[in-house]
């Protein structure tokens, strides 16, 4: 395993260059103090939304007619590169690219290719993405070449008609083709499914077995109160993952896994299939104590917590100081100093209290 904050390959490179009297090519991660929030949680995971646009309109995520951001508001791919590289210099070891749909951003492969230099240097441990799968058939091989080894594909149903209903604009065969391409390219695929009562509760076993047949892990996500999407049935759709887990337990032998990723997911293994099943339950469990992540939007806002509105504008220092990364670093450190202890979601009063006005596609899920 790579040594955290002091990657062997990078250390060797620098030592070799120092022995030859050459200055280091780039700042080593350990040379800057790592990002530690006020609750002593090290920040090692950055999720980056590279676009707010999407070729689907999932009913729990977007309204059918969305107003997207004007182009000038978005960070350019060069700005995203600079910002991500600064974060990596401050100890971020895992980068997840998301959106909107990341693979619809023009020329996004050049960004993945650029980020692969941080994998090569050893500073970055993992470069990965969350996608709806619609464009995977086009990009799977390029993603693998850029060093991506795992992708999360969001898929809530295996029924063509239901798929078209829930995504409004999506078509299941295209996503299945993308998953085939990803696996053929050597990418490990994990399926993310939003648990929706009255929609996919009848597919629990079908989806599990389909994933088992294809050697894919599966994570269920509780529907979250994000954005004003004109869907007043959100509470009706809410399917407790404790209920889902109990239903799964009626069919299979489940073993709790101790594995923690610093995020809201908890895992079990299905003994019969040896699959890992994840449960993301931000509304029923408090996962904040081990939170190691922050989220960057495509406009350069840094959200310290998915469940709170506080954010810091990193685009301003990025554009004001094109040649001075230390100003951006300071802005990042000031923001991390404000990371809250926990989130505000609460369904307990049978009301969508703590509802966020922004969309999941804005912060990237
Ligand atoms: N477009 C990509 C995709 O769908 O995978 C990446 C962005 S999407 C916002 C990231 C994840 O958020 C997806 O797995 C999606 O199902 C999930 N998501 C979106 N809205 C949600 C909501 N209201 N509650 C729970 N999960 C949600
Ligand atoms: Fe697009 Fe993903 Fe949101 Fe669906 S969940 S509308 S695919 S961003």
């Amino acid at each position: 395993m790579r040594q955290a904050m002091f990657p062997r390959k990078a250390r060797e490179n620098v030592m070799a260059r120092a022995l030859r009297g050459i200055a280091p090519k780039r700042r080593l991660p350990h040379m800057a103090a790592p990002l530690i929030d006020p609750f002593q949680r090290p920040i090692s995971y950055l999720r980056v939304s590279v676009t707010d646009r999407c070729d689907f309109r999932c009913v729990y995520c977007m309204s059918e007619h969305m107003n997207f951001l004007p182009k000038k508001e978005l960070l350019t791919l060069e700005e995203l590169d600079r910002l991500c590289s600064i974060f990596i210099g401050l100890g971020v070891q895992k980068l997840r690219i998301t959106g909107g749909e990341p693979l619809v951003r023009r020329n996004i492969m050049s960004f993945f290719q650029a980020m692969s230099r941080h994998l090569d240097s050893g500073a970055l441990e993992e470069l990965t993405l969350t996608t709806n799968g619609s464009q995977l058939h086009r990009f799977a091989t390029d993603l693998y070449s850029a060093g991506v080894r795992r992708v999360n594909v969001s898929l809530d149903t295996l029924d063509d008609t239901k798929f078209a209903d829930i995504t409004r604009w999506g078509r299941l065969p295209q996503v299945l083709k993308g998953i085939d391409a990803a696996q053929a390219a050597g990418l490990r695929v994990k399926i993310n499914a939003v648990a929706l009562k009255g929609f996919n509760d009848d597919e629990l076993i079908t989806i599990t077995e389909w994933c088992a047949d294809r050697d894919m892990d599966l994570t269920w996500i509780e529907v979250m109160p994000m954005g004003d999407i004109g869907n007043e049935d959100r509470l009706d759709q809410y399917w407790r993952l404790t209920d889902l887990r109990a239903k799964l337990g009626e069919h299979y032998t489940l073993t709790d896994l101790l594995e923690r990723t610093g995020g809201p997911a908890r895992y079990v293994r299905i003994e019969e299939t040896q699959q890992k099943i994840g449960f993301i339950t931000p509304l029923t469990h408090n996962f904040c104590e081990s939170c190691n992540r922050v989220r960057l939007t495509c406009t350069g806002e840094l959200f310290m917590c998915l469940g709170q509105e506080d954010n810091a504008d990193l685009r301003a220092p990025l554009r004001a100081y094109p040649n001075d990364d230390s100003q951006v670093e300071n802005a990042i450190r000031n923001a991390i100093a404000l990371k809250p202890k926990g989130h505000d979601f609460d369904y307990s009063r049978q009301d969508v209290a703590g509802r966020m006005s922004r969309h999941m596609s804005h912060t990237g899920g």
Side-chain angles (χ1 to χ4, degrees), residues 35 83 86-87 90 302 314 328-336:
L35 295 171
L83 203 42
I86 293 173
F87 270 102
L90 294 173
L302 186 69
L314 298 183
V328 184
E329 274 188 31
N330 286 344
I332 295 173
R333 287 192 191 284
N334 291 340
I336 299 296

Side-chain angles (χ1 to χ4, degrees), residues 53-58 60-62 99-101 132 154 361:
R53 287 164 198 257
C54 187
D55 51 350
F56 290 3
R57 291 288 182 279
C58 303
Y60 46 73
C61 180
M62 292 192 183
E101 174 46 42
N132 65 22
S154 304
S361 52

